[in-house]
Amino acid sequence: CEVLVRELGLEELPTEKEMFANARLIAAAPDLLAMLKMLVDVFGEAAVLPEDRVIIQAARNTIAAAEGT
């Protein structure tokens, strides 16, 4: 088990609580991505302030990373 942990680059195996939290996050990922896309579609063109444009661009980058593009 220790060899596997080292091969994965982990210091220790996740706890049961962490594993369930990760599972919930993975399960919610498609909905989170869809919502982020919707927010960018609705508010992307309305971003006028520089800080708003930075946030929208960060959201677009996150979408691209999630889609592997």
Side-chain angles (χ1 to χ4, degrees):
C1 193
E2 288 181 33
V3 173
L4 177 61
V5 170
R6 283 196 303 272
E7 286 180 9
L8 292 175
L10 303 172
E11 292 188 26
E12 59 186 45
L13 290 174
T15 65
E16 183 177 359
K17 183 178 179 180
E18 290 169 326
M19 288 190 290
F20 279 109
N22 289 339
R24 286 190 302 274
L25 182 58
I26 291 167
D31 292 336
L32 293 168
L33 179 58
M35 185 55 62
L36 187 58
K37 286 179 173 183
M38 187 183 307
L39 289 170
V40 167
D41 286 345
V42 171
F43 296 109
E45 297 303 317
V48 180
L49 300 174
E51 55 269 25
D52 293 342
R53 288 195 296 268
V54 168
I55 292 169
I56 293 295
Q57 187 56 52
R60 287 184 176 129
N61 293 345
T62 301
I63 292 166
E67 294 180 333
T69 59

